[in-house]
Amino acid sequence: MSSCPRITLPRPIDAHLHLRDGHALATTVAASARQFGRAVVMPNLVPALTRCQDALAYRDRILAAVPAELSFQPMMTLYLTETMPRAEIDRAHAEPDIYAVKLYPAGATTHSDAGVRHLDRVMPVLERMAELGLPLLIHGEVTDPGIDIFDREAVFIERVLIPLRQRLPELPIVLEHITTAEAVAYVQEQSGRFAATLTAHHLLHDRNDMLVGGMRPHFFCLPILKRREHRRALLAAATSGDARFFLGTDSAPHARNAKESACACAGCFTAPTALELYATAFAEAGALDHLADFASRYAAQFYGLPVDTAEMTLIAESWQVPHDLPYLDERIIPFHAGQTLAWRLEARP
Ligand code: DOR
Ligand code: ZN
């Protein structure tokens, strides 16, 4: 019997996850299913998942990749385009396996070209979502080339989100992977069905970790890591016991060659060690007692789902993250590769 401290929590929900498709699912689905019982799956495939039937076919491919000894429920989303018909929203609402629609401003991030250029063009669809109570998940960054990359989230709140909330106050919204003190303050002012997800990498790191002493592409993600004060604000929000802030890894796998390149892809592959990384952040804040609510309860509450009845346990025992993992015909570098983590999932060999 180990005497190490342990934390037992209901199986958590990853409220923001990229799994990719095809052979990638063998790596990505196994990694997430070891950590999470459910995950909100992003639709930024190529081509984008704009129709319910495509999202449901993708769901079947994900389920086929779940290792036999595990269970995992993918919560599907649709990719909002300027040509999406309102009828697709009605179909999504009627479909129990589709939980939300994702707004990518065109050009904001990986595979966002099919996204939205002018919000006015999607207003009829957003109005229907507000009527039906179907959540909109937002990548909250402006793409105006005149705006500095470090300011894109704060400017999005001013230019896009505040006017949108005024026009459609009933629209349920999740502001995804927030990275700034401005976003934290904005979320705290909201009432009704409004929430934000927080990644482990933004809780643990600031931009110095990416840029001082050499450029580390495995820390490059979008929205980009910000300065230290922002990380502090995010960590305070995540550990505050406020149900508007919950776990969403934004784990975004790219093969090693695509990351370690002259033009590195954005995304941190955090899924294989997600809970251990969040536990590290919560331990730093002295708030491990809030981890179960943040990881397992608040997202369930937002989506109107029961909390998982199965449990998992984290043990305060150090172990080393693998240097790399198989991915497609290449390798992938998990976040914190080769480093020692102080928390370990009980099931981990
Ligand atoms: O870093 C990111 N990677 N941010 C996103 O918004 C998309 C993601 C991806 O799909 O690679
Ligand atoms: Zn994402």
Side-chain angles (χ1 to χ4, degrees), residues 16-18 42 44 102 104 109 139 176-177 222 250-252:
H16 184 125
L17 175 63
H18 299 269
M42 291 300 117
N44 62 333
K102 178 73 189 277
Y104 288 103
T109 188
H139 183 111
E176 299 287 346
H177 43 54
L222 289 170
D250 198 17
S251 176

